[in-house]
Amino acid sequence: MALLITNATVVTWEMPNRVIEDGAVLIDGDTIREVGEARSLAERYPTAERFDARGQLAMPGGICAHTHFYGAYSRGMGIPGPAPKNFPEILERLWWPLDKSLDREAVRFSALVCLVDAIKHGTTTLIDHHASPNFIDGSLDVIAGAVEESGLRAVLCYEVTDRDGPDKARAGIAENVRFLRAARMRPLVAATFGLHASLTLTDETLRACVEAASGLGTGFHIHVAEHEADEEDSLRKAGKRVVERLDSFGILG
C-alpha cells in the first residue's frame, strides 16, 4: 500500500528549489511517486496510508560522505596522560589502539549506534571507512548486515594500511576485493576500495591496491593531507605532495 506523508513543509531541492508549506509526499514501495500540496494529493490518493508529519520538514535525505562507524566508541573517551600535541599523537594514542580492540560484535554495535543517529538526523546514505586490524576478513559483511537492518544505504570499504605489517595489509586488500564483488548482490549497500592515508602506505602497497582494484569498476576512498604530517611524510618518501604521489600511482581519477 502507498504511504502519503501529509502536513509537511516539503523542501524539494530541485532546480529551482521549491518549498511547499502544506505539502505531501507519496511513497509507493521504495519509490517516491509524487510531491505536491497536501490537499491535492490527499484527494487523488484517498486509499493511501496516512502519516502526519506535524509540520516538520520533509526533504531528500542527507548524505554523509565520510565517516568511521567504529568511532562511536570514542565519544566522551579520555586519552590517558597529557593532551596529544598533534594529529599523529591522536592516531597513535586514540584511534589505532581503538581499532585494534574491535571484534565482530564491537564492529556490529558501533555501526548500529551510528545508523540510529543517522536516522534521527535525516541522513539516509553514508560512506564508511572501516578499520579493525584484528578482525578484517568478513568485517564489511557485518557492517553491511547492520546497514540492511537499519533500512539505510551505505558505501563500505576497508582502509588498507601498512601500519600493522604486510600480512594485515594484504588481508585488507583481500577484504576490499571480496566485498566489492559481494556487494553487487546487496541492493542497499555498495562498495569502494579503502586506503588509510599516504603516510601509512608504502609504494609497494599502493601498487598492489591499484592492481587488485583493476577491472572491478571502483574508485578509492582515502584520507588526503588530513594533517601537515601527511604532506611532510610524502615529501620525504617521494619528493611529492600527497595528491601528486597518489596521482602518480593511479589512485586519483
Side-chain angles (χ1 to χ4, degrees):
M1 178 183 286
L3 172 66
L4 186 64
I5 300 174
T6 62
N7 189 22
T9 301
V10 178
V11 182
T12 66
W13 291 117
E14 297 167 304
M15 295 292 287
N17 182 39
R18 289 187 295 156
V19 179
I20 307 170
E21 295 293 345
D22 186 14
V25 179
L26 181 71
I27 302 169
D28 185 6
D30 60 1
T31 303
I32 296 173
R33 293 293 180 195
E34 195 168 347
V35 174
E37 293 183 354
R39 177 180 292 180
S40 174
L41 266 65
E43 289 173 353
R44 286 162 49 213
Y45 301 101
T47 62
E49 181 184 355
R50 303 292 178 89
F51 180 84
D52 186 348
R54 294 176 288 118
Q56 296 182 96
L57 287 174
M59 55 190 280
I63 298 172
C64 176
H66 177 82
T67 189
H68 300 278
F69 288 156
Y70 66 85
Y73 294 118
S74 72
R75 298 177 186 183
M77 182 183 290
I79 303 174
K85 296 190 296 292
N86 51 38
F87 184 63
E89 282 199 9
I90 295 173
L91 290 175
E92 291 163 5
R93 293 174 54 196
L94 171 62
W95 291 114
W96 293 348
L98 172 58
D99 66 35
K100 285 183 175 67
S101 301
L102 300 170
D103 58 13
R104 174 183 290 270
E105 185 178 48
V107 168
R108 178 173 181 271
F109 281 111
S110 65
L112 288 172
V113 166
C114 293
L115 291 163
V116 168
D117 281 349
I119 291 168
K120 287 181 175 180
H121 295 90
T123 299
T124 57
T125 302
L126 304 101
I127 304 177
D128 188 65
H129 201 224
H130 179 65
S132 53
N134 292 315
F135 170 52
I136 298 175
D137 185 30
S139 59
L140 297 181
D141 284 337
V142 172
I143 299 171
V147 171
E148 289 163 343
E149 186 177 342
S150 76
L152 299 182
R153 292 174 173 81
V155 182
L156 308 179
C157 65
Y158 188 89
E159 57 173 59
V160 176
T161 178
D162 285 299
R163 68 178 182 262
D164 300 305
D167 289 345
K168 291 188 176 181
R170 285 190 289 269
I173 292 172
E175 177 66 358
N176 278 306
V177 171
R178 184 197 65 77
F179 191 74
L180 277 158
R181 295 180 174 130
R184 294 169 185 166
M185 306 301 294
R186 309 184 88 134
L188 295 179
V189 176
T192 186
F193 202 114
L195 304 171
H196 173 246
S198 174
L199 84 168
T200 68
L201 289 161
T202 63
D203 289 358
E204 291 74 21
T205 297
L206 284 172
R207 275 191 289 268
C209 290
V210 171
E211 182 179 345
S214 177
L216 292 175
T218 187
F220 294 91
H221 188 131
I222 180 172
H223 301 107
V224 175
E226 193 173 11
H227 183 266
E228 293 92 333
D230 200 18
E231 294 280 35
E232 293 160 0
D233 174 85
S234 183
L235 288 167
R236 282 194 304 272
K237 285 194 293 201
K240 301 174 182 177
R241 292 187 176 274
V242 171
V243 168
E244 296 168 330
R245 180 179 183 233
L246 297 177
D247 189 46
S248 71
F249 281 94
I251 299 295
L252 309 184

